[in-house]
Amino acid sequence: MEKKTKFCCRPMIAIVVLTLATTEYPARVRAVNCNPMELSPCVEAMTLAAAGEATVPPVMCCRKLREQRPCMCGFINDPNLRQFIGSPVAMAVAASCGRPHPHS
């Protein structure tokens, strides 16, 4: 049953990456490029968390979450991204990095 869960999550992750790749955001804070694709280092941690496997996110994931923090409200308010960026899995990864997740 665990393999089925992992297999089911892969299409969702592919959709997230494609959605993030086709969405552009204006920079809102000096030196921050609001681009959800910058969060791609977190995909593996989100995949493992969705499968129920506890993991510490990679350093680059946590770094990108800090860097993109000023952009999160815009990401969450985007109907194309809300279900992914605002998901319990994304919140758990952010919390593992010590980054509180904004509420929509």
Side-chain angles (χ1 to χ4, degrees):
M1 190 64 147
E2 185 174 305
K3 285 189 177 203
K4 185 176 182 180
T5 303
K6 287 181 183 181
F7 179 75
C8 292
C9 294
R10 288 182 184 166
M12 180 185 78
I13 298 300
I15 290 169
V16 170
V17 171
L18 288 174
T19 302
L20 295 177
T22 59
T23 306
E24 293 185 29
Y25 289 88
R28 296 181 185 194
V29 177
R30 155 188 106 232
V32 175
N33 178 17
C34 290
N35 180 353
M37 281 304 295
E38 292 292 318
L39 301 175
S40 63
C42 299
V43 170
E44 182 179 352
M46 290 179 66
T47 302
L48 292 172
E53 296 180 30
T55 183
V56 175
V59 172
M60 184 57 77
C61 169
C62 295
R63 185 175 298 145
K64 290 297 183 176
L65 283 170
R66 279 190 297 277
E67 180 183 291
Q68 295 291 308
R69 175 76 175 145
C71 308
M72 288 297 174
C73 289
F75 296 163
I76 288 174
N77 289 327
D78 183 318
N80 295 317
L81 299 174
R82 182 179 303 132
Q83 65 183 343
F84 306 111
I85 302 293
S87 73
V89 171
M91 289 184 207
V93 170
S96 294
C97 289
R99 307 303 313 159
H101 203 281
H103 299 286
S104 53

